[in-house]
Amino acid sequence: MQNIVLVGFMGTGKSTVATLLAERLGWNKVDLDTSIEEAEGASIPQLFTEKGEPYFRQAETAALRRELEGRTGQIIATGGGAVLAEANRAIMLANGLVVALTANVETILSRVQNDPNRPLLQGNAQKSVPELLEKRKHAYDFAPAKIDTSDKSVEQIVEEVIRLLGAK
């Protein structure tokens, strides 16, 4: 048994897929953002506002280590930017099957544009989503597996991840 680490841009379905996948496999689901909030005693938007993105990224690396190293049978739903640090990518690859979830711009916008808990989208999501996607277009390339979630149900995505796990 190993871990499954779901990475991808915001709105690609990481949390939703992780919940059903954990149910199906009987594994623990860990939402990395929730883990960070519990450890820091503050919400993600608060951390960004009060301590800044660099501080948040350090807390993210600490949470990845805490949740992955020496553990198995976990489904980890990461935040969209967790892949930006080389250290984070190394932790993920060393401790689980990393699956990148992708989606097209329209799908992402329909899923995230009205979510107040997304600090990087405050203002104009129509403008910032395509810009961020462009900036991060290669950020998920390190993942050995990729699934486009744009036109798939959560059940279909979960089945694909389970097939990938069996093939590993």
Side-chain angles (χ1 to χ4, degrees), residues 9-35:
F9 195 76
M10 64 183 91
T12 55
K14 298 177 300 290
S15 294
T16 306
V17 170
T19 300
L20 185 58
L21 192 55
E23 246 175 60
R24 288 280 307 281
L25 295 174
W27 291 14
N28 294 324
K29 176 204 170 200
V30 175
D31 183 289
L32 199 63
D33 283 351
T34 302
S35 176

Side-chain angles (χ1 to χ4, degrees), residues 26-91:
W27 291 14
N28 294 324
K29 176 204 170 200
V30 175
D31 183 289
L32 199 63
D33 283 351
T34 302
S35 176
I36 295 164
E37 289 176 339
E38 289 171 358
E40 295 291 324
S43 71
I44 302 299
Q46 271 181 304
L47 288 171
F48 266 79
T49 302
E50 295 170 11
K51 298 193 175 183
E53 187 173 356
Y55 180 90
F56 170 77
R57 296 298 174 202
Q58 290 174 342
E60 192 171 51
T61 300
L64 267 173
R65 281 202 171 93
R66 189 172 57 248
E67 299 296 354
L68 275 172
E69 291 179 346
R71 295 181 172 202
T72 60
Q74 309 229 89
I75 313 293
I76 309 287
T78 65
V83 300
L84 299 177
E86 175 62 38
N88 292 357
R89 295 190 298 270
I91 294 165

